Amino acid sequence: NAGVTQTPKFQVLKTGQSMTLQCAQDMNHEYMSWYRQDPGMGLRLIHYSVGAGITDQGEVPNGYNVSRSTTEDFPLRLLSAAPSQTSVYFCASNRDPNTEAFFGQGTRLTVV
Amino acid sequence: GENVEQHPSTLSVQEGDSAVIKCTYSDSASNYFPWYKQELGKRPQLIIDIRSNVGEKKDQRIAVTLNKTAKHFSLHITETQPEDSAVYFCAASRGSNYKLTFGKGTLLTVNP
């Protein structure tokens, strides 16, 4: 039982490049979400999904796209990377909203 | 939307002392209040949570209290140990709309 798996762990992008951060969970959780963590800012919700085919915006969605074609996978796409998107990104999954969120190990992204 | 304020931002205690971290929230409809611990370079992990129908919850050396009237909740750690050193995040959620809003975190240092 791997839990929540994110890839890659580290990534350096040039301004304007695009990329996809992968997230997969094997707990059959309906709820998945993406957060970014910046120093002194806590964890901020980017996008979330309440089930396959259903996604919605969080607090800081600009510059990011998501899709949820299966229960297991919830990729995050950066359309045109900017230095302001330098951050640590965490994917999480929950059985339902008022229960424990299980986080992936994080992706440290640097945009130069 | 929901706003969660967390204090203090840093807290240093001697081993064996107690530590208290306080959070306030703005949305009176919030009904789920988890606390996460994040060790350096690791993913956040749930340590305790409380729901709005409960005023206090304990788990060994950790307790959380909730005052719905004042819209604040607190984390209490007794008999602190060096391994309690980490960043602690509070969070609040309505549950129904799934959006989990985090505080900015408290860096707890337990000195041996």
Side-chain angles (χ1 to χ4, degrees), chain B residues 53-101:
Chain B
N53 58 346
V54 175
E56 182 176 2
K57 185 177 178 180
K58 280 188 177 180
D59 183 2
Q60 299 183 336
R61 296 186 295 108
I62 294 172
V64 58
T65 59
L66 172 65
N67 183 327
K68 285 220 70 178
T69 303
K71 291 191 282 188
H72 67 70
F73 56 113
S74 300
L75 178 71
H76 304 254
I77 306 174
T78 59
E79 301 172 15
T80 54
Q81 301 167 3
E83 51 264 39
D84 294 329
S85 296
V87 178
Y88 291 81
F89 293 98
C90 62
S93 168
R94 280 191 180 192
S96 58
N97 70 359
Y98 181 60
K99 294 183 180 181
L100 190 60
T101 301

Side-chain angles (χ1 to χ4, degrees), chain A residues 15-72:
Chain A
T15 297
Q17 287 185 317
S18 62
M19 79 160 294
T20 299
L21 307 185
Q22 301 292 344
C23 176
Q25 52 93 7
D26 61 2
M27 296 175 283
N28 202 32
H29 286 170
E30 290 295 325
Y31 297 86
M32 296 187 74
S33 52
W34 277 101
Y35 294 87
R36 61 177 289 172
Q37 184 174 30
D38 302 292
M41 296 297 292
L43 292 144
R44 293 183 291 169
L45 182 64
I46 303 171
H47 285 286
Y48 66 100
S49 170
V50 299
I54 306 169
T55 64
D56 204 349
Q57 296 181 349
E59 181 185 354
V60 288
N62 292 340
Y64 307 95
N65 272 358
V66 292
S67 60
R68 183 96 179 271
S69 56
T70 66
T71 299
E72 295 77 21

Side-chain angles (χ1 to χ4, degrees), chain A residues 37 48 94 97-98 101 103-104, chain B residues 32 36 38 43 51 89 95 98:
Chain A
Q37 184 174 30
Y48 66 100
N94 304 50
N98 280 6
F103 285 84
Chain B
Y32 177 61
Y36 286 83
Q38 186 180 30
R43 71 192 78 189
R51 292 170 177 79
F89 293 98
Y98 181 60

